[in-house]
Amino acid sequence: MIQRNNSYRLLPFKFTHIGNKELIVNEVGDYLFMPNGTVQRVISGSVNRNTEEYRDLLSKFIICDSYNDILQDVIATRIRTKKSFLDGFTSLHIFVLTLRCNQKCVYCQATSQNKDCVNKDMKIEDLNKAISLMLKSPNPHITMEFQGGESSLVPSLVEHAILETERQNKSVGKEIKYVICTNIIHFSEELLNLCEKYNVFVSTSLDGPESIHDSNRGVSGSYKHFVDSLLRIRERLGQDRISPLMTTSVLSLNYPIEIVDSYRQLSFHYIFLRPLNPYGRAKENEDWNLYFDKFLEFYKKSLDYILLLNKRGEFFVEGFTAMVMKKILTPFPIGFVDLQSPAGIINSVVVYNYDGYVYCSDESRMMAESGDFTFRLGKVSDKYEDIFYGKKAQALSRVWATEYIAGCSDCAFQQYCGADPVRNYSTQGDWYGHRPSSLFCKFHKAVFEYLFELIDRRGNEVLPIIRRWIYD
Amino acid sequence: MNSFRIIGNKKAQFNIDANMFSKSVIMKVLYWLNNDFVVQTTSHESQLLVELESNNDTDWNIMKKTISTMLNDFQMREVIEKETHDIRNILYVKAFSNIDNFTEYDTEE
């Protein structure tokens, strides 16, 4: 240990260089921008007491006067708060009720099948067993999400799933939130009644203006059906009971402003700029390096435009930025499974597939459709403990935290990022992954650097806007 | 890092004094280089000879500065890690201990 004249001690922290400054981040994600050379001076004991620099470093838990119990308890509580998403264990339970779909999306990650295909719906007995497994989760707050394929093609299964869950939950007493993921192309009255009765939230997809939306869906007329259903759903369920996600196809990359405006035109105040993921049909994308470079530019242009709208007085949120900024600016975790450590798989999300098997994430079951069952945890008839705490879950736990995997353990962005063994396996062939060649790493580092540059250069202008996104 | 030698557009060599940088620091730097370069190392007493070869044209002057920065940064990270290793463990143990669930045993019996 270095003996320092002024006897302060180091607390665990990471650092990197952004522009001509050093970004220093402590163990719970508090950050400081300091002049280059600060870290060298901190560790060599050259920071003088009674300076603003000393007080900054002290208040951000980069250094301390002593490792006393009170300090330890404060930081330990902060760590526990940051990791509180682990408290209840799996909260998001995805039910793939069918693989059949009525659209032909160019980027389909689920390898959906034709709507008339047979043997691609979940069997009732498997659905009942999956519901029993879900209700064994220790989490008192459960989100039950119906996915596909296109879940609106099987309204009777959706209805059965909700009624059976309500029945089984009478003796369990969990708080259940229902979400139906649907393209709402043909959203029947029967489904609307069900959504109204059981407060089902509708999660849908909108990729931009009519030309982009229809092109991405691979079916003409999709946008018109979408708008018709949107109006019906809003009228019956309320404005805030339906929310869309946007997926950025290669075509979409050229239209950042138009896509944001298409959301505004339909009276949405929120967009989530989501890149393609390398699964299913999307995996056929030729050059992922080029795609992510272009997506980053798309993201920056869109965000810049959205910030401008907010400056002009319009409340409009970019969801991905809001989530990352919540990690940076607040002591709290976020519910975004892609950026969690330990990883979102199993800890936060699990998938019951139409074929009666349980997978550790949505992406895992998408890989299964390509014949790769690596992340299959078991069958719905298996014991809960064997699925959620079994050998595969244990093996995954050895590679699912940024705190201890190579390339992440030293990274300044560790507290904001996440580990993703499924993505590692899909793109690099092994669970552990290789950070220097990882596009997940490259992309997220670039986003974090960009957001910290924004904070540093335009903090006075953008932070009040982003704080409204986080806290409102 | 010393004796940085550029061999054509696609290859460079340099020495790292193993007395100045730990094996862990050197390996972490090489880890981040091995996506862009074929990395070969040869040890001569306290000197480690590193050879980098790329399929692409490389601005070796920028690369030299980058590697030098990486060596210094990882060395500082090593100092921080060594000094804070124990307190970090204590903090995580405290953070994840379920104090309410602990059973207190009477050790007198």
Side-chain angles (χ1 to χ4, degrees), chain A residues 346-360:
Chain A
I346 305 173
N347 293 303
S348 296
V349 61
V350 72
V351 176
Y352 309 96
N353 205 16
Y354 72 94
D355 58 6
Y357 286 92
V358 185
Y359 294 87
C360 64

Side-chain angles (χ1 to χ4, degrees), chain B residues 40-107:
Chain B
Q40 293 189 69
T41 57
T42 320
S43 193
H44 295 287
E45 297 178 350
S46 68
Q47 293 291 311
L48 187 75
L49 173 68
V50 180
E51 183 177 287
L52 304 179
E53 188 172 357
S54 169
N55 284 330
N56 306 313
D57 287 342
T58 303
D59 186 331
W60 291 108
N61 287 322
I62 291 176
M63 212 54 230
K64 184 180 171 183
K65 192 170 181 301
T66 304
I67 294 167
S68 177
T69 303
M70 287 168 83
L71 278 166
N72 287 330
D73 284 355
F74 276 110
Q75 193 172 36
M76 289 196 286
R77 289 182 183 117
E78 186 176 64
V79 172
I80 297 162
E81 204 284 323
K82 274 186 181 162
E83 183 161 339
T84 62
H85 182 86
D86 290 345
I87 186 67
R88 188 168 184 256
N89 280 347
I90 290 168
L91 294 171
Y92 274 85
V93 167
K94 279 197 167 187
F96 291 108
S97 60
N98 280 325
I99 296 162
D100 294 345
N101 296 342
F102 280 178
T103 307
E104 287 190 24
Y105 294 99
D106 186 352
T107 52

Side-chain angles (χ1 to χ4, degrees), chain A residues 27 57 64 99 107 111 115 133-134 144 167 180 193 206 255 292 317 320 343 383 457:
Chain A
E27 197 63 23
L57 292 162
C64 61
L99 205 60
Y107 52 69
T111 324
K115 69 182 172 65
L133 279 175
M134 173 181 75
M144 184 181 195
R167 190 189 69 77
I180 182 167
N193 292 337
L206 172 64
Y255 302 98
F292 273 104
V317 179
F320 181 60
K383 280 171 64 183
R457 287 189 291 106

